[in-house]
Amino acid sequence: MAGLYIHIPFCKQACSYCDFYFLTRRQLKDPFTEALIHEIRAHRHGPFADQPIRTIYLGGGTPSLLSGGQVQRIFEELHQSFDIQSSEITMELNPDDVTPEYLRALLEAGVNRASMGIQSFQPELLQFMNRAHTSGEAEQALDAIRQTGFPSYTADLIYGNPGQTLQMLEDDIQTLLKYDPPHISAYSLTVEPNTRLGKQVELGRLPPPDDEETAAHFDLILEQLSQAGIDQYEVSNFSKPGKEAEHNSGYWSHENYLGLGPAAHSFWWEGDHARRWKNRADINHYLEHSSKRVQDEEEILSEKTLAEERLMLGLRTARGVTPEELRSRYNYRFTPRQLEFIDRQVRAGTMHFDQHTLRMSRAGLRIADLLTVDLLSGG
Ligand code: SF4
């Protein structure tokens, strides 16, 4: 089983915190769609053509800038070129693009899960983030999801913004809960160097996010979502039972995936050979070469690197990792020093460890990356 990721690199405007690959030259949407179709066809005889495709994810950028017809065309081509057996087909949507008609066109194409870039319902925060949508459009989009009976959706929230009070965050959560979301991703605002936010912080015009405030925001999210029956299953992800994101779970457990579109990553692991590669983040190159080879960087991954990645990603999930999987799939065993470290963490209440599973406690999940780095460096 494998996954497909498709990067649609267009946006209306640059959000202040974003360092993904995107461009605002939307007149390239038609040639891009053609180029993407050529790239899909170029994989007809590659290793992914024989793999049943379990999940598809259209991300970006802003995939909802494509017309319903363009999305349908892409899916027709995917069905011709791959063995699509997907139970989950997700597409990222920005609220200002969503109408009931558009959602119906996506349903017809086969999309069954919408990923809504809500971020906040507070006008001043949306403006601070330079989002293209208004809070009214966010609510209308959620209404449209309900009206059309869209099978499933997830909504993104961003917390830890300068000037965001606990009350503002609580209002955001309560507004979202009115729409009964099956899944929510909540991200703390991250300051990336090559963004407008990064420059503002660097120049001292904005303070960097405050750790204590961010932690208080996170606690509020955890508490309010868990009261609503939406539980944390990964550091940034929350869902009702059975509504966890399948596509991302594939990344966390080293399922093979093919990335299409500029800047998309791919991963292939077969026998003792594992590699990851990235398509070049350059639309002009992509438009010219997508039918041949657009990959840029390739990395061969050793068993040790794979094992460490599995620990880094697995210990961010509530399910954790099993020593049995680490042994059989990664040939990895904890050293006596690491076992001592784990033992200390169990006593401190940050990890749980029994014969079958190592996982973080709720307290441990808050500092999961830090604890895993310590564990990997020998405890
Ligand atoms: S819409 Fe998404 S990809 Fe585009 S600039 Fe904003 S955060 Fe980045």
Side-chain angles (χ1 to χ4, degrees):
M1 288 296 219
L4 284 183
Y5 171 80
I6 306 178
H7 191 80
I8 312 292
F10 301 102
C11 290
K12 284 186 187 161
Q13 59 197 52
C15 299
S16 62
Y17 54 87
C18 177
D19 76 340
F20 294 138
Y21 177 69
F22 67 92
L23 49 142
T24 48
R25 274 182 295 151
R26 285 187 270 155
Q27 62 273 31
L28 295 181
K29 281 192 306 174
D30 276 338
F32 165 79
T33 306
E34 287 311 309
L36 178 60
I37 282 167
H38 285 131
E39 190 189 8
I40 294 169
R41 285 183 188 157
H43 283 280
R44 277 191 186 172
H45 304 292
F48 282 94
D50 302 328
Q51 298 272 314
I53 300 296
R54 189 175 72 93
T55 59
I56 302 177
Y57 192 100
L58 271 76
T62 309
S64 53
L65 285 177
L66 294 182
S67 67
Q70 284 169 325
V71 176
Q72 286 171 357
R73 182 113 203 272
I74 293 167
F75 273 94
E76 275 160 24
E77 207 56 49
L78 290 174
H79 281 281
Q80 305 268 338
S81 302
F82 297 102
D83 176 13
I84 308 281
Q85 300 189 6
S86 301
S87 51
E88 184 190 271
I89 302 182
T90 306
M91 178 164 158
E92 290 179 356
L93 309 177
N94 272 3
D96 44 324
D97 299 323
V98 174
T99 60
E101 297 70 49
Y102 189 61
L103 291 176
R104 280 192 272 274
L106 300 185
L107 277 172
E108 233 172 89
V111 178
N112 58 17
R113 186 169 179 269
S115 173
M116 304 288 287
I118 301 286
Q119 319 311 355
S120 173
F121 295 97
Q122 312 289 325
E124 59 268 54
L125 290 182
L126 291 172
Q127 203 179 2
F128 163 75
M129 297 184 221
N130 201 37
R131 296 290 304 182
H133 69 273
T134 63
S135 54
E137 285 168 334
E139 291 215 50
Q140 278 163 20
L142 292 169
D143 254 337
I145 294 265
R146 203 156 50 181
Q147 266 178 44
T148 45
F150 215 77
S152 193
Y153 80 97
T154 175
D156 288 353
L157 287 179
I158 295 186
Y159 61 94
N161 291 285
Q164 184 177 22
T165 61
L166 281 173
Q167 187 59 53
M168 287 161 104
L169 180 60
E170 183 168 349
D171 290 348
D172 276 351
I173 299 167
Q174 290 308 321
T175 305
L176 186 53
L177 289 178
K178 281 194 311 192
Y179 296 92
D180 195 23
H183 186 285
I184 294 175
S185 298
Y187 301 104
S188 71
L189 183 72
T190 320
V191 181
E192 302 290 351
N194 292 320
T195 60
R196 191 210 284 191
L197 178 65
K199 297 265 172 335
Q200 285 169 311
V201 171
E202 193 187 313
L203 294 170
R205 295 198 186 128
L206 272 178
D210 179 283
D211 285 351
E212 264 180 44
E213 269 177 29
T214 305
H217 283 190
F218 183 73
D219 286 343
L220 182 74
I221 291 170
L222 207 59
E223 181 199 309
Q224 301 224 323
L225 295 188
S226 111
Q227 276 169 15
I230 302 175
D231 286 319
Q232 185 185 30
Y233 70 96
E234 197 264 351
V235 168
S236 309
N237 288 288
F238 304 79
S239 82
K240 290 188 177 173
K243 295 291 182 182
E244 296 84 0
E246 290 177 36
H247 185 80
N248 285 351
S249 305
Y251 292 149
W252 303 331
S253 58
H254 281 137
E255 211 169 78
N256 289 335
Y257 59 88
L258 175 65
L260 300 161
H265 292 256
S266 304
F267 173 78
W268 178 262
W269 183 6
E270 194 175 24
D272 54 6
H273 187 62
R275 63 195 181 103
R276 184 173 286 124
W277 66 95
K278 184 186 170 193
N279 282 359
R280 194 181 290 191
D282 176 344
I283 187 74
N284 294 324
H285 180 83
Y286 187 75
L287 295 180
E288 271 180 47
H289 300 282
S290 70
S291 58
K292 294 172 229 121
R293 191 183 147 95
V294 284
Q295 67 196 63
D296 201 13
E297 301 155 24
E298 177 170 303
E299 188 191 0
I300 305 292
L301 301 154
S302 68
E303 213 171 40
K304 180 167 181 277
T305 305
L306 290 166
E308 292 184 348
E309 281 184 1
R310 179 70 187 110
L311 273 164
M312 279 306 296
L313 298 170
L315 289 178
R316 286 173 59 93
T317 65
R319 193 178 281 180
V321 291
T322 68
E324 166 51 27
E325 183 199 359
L326 291 172
R327 253 193 317 268
S328 60
R329 201 168 172 219
Y330 299 88
N331 196 23
Y332 186 92
R333 287 172 179 76
F334 291 122
T335 63
R337 267 185 69 195
Q338 285 178 310
L339 289 168
E340 273 169 36
F341 174 80
I342 292 170
D343 193 44
R344 282 200 302 280
Q345 296 308 322
V346 170
R347 278 186 275 122
T350 54
M351 287 184 179
H352 298 296
F353 189 37
D354 60 32
Q355 293 294 70
H356 307 292
T357 313
L358 172 65
R359 61 188 172 84
M360 298 287 172
S361 67
R362 194 174 252 210
L365 274 178
R366 296 168 59 115
I367 46 166
D369 291 349
L370 221 72
L371 289 175
T372 311
V373 167
D374 285 348
L375 173 66
L376 291 176
S377 55

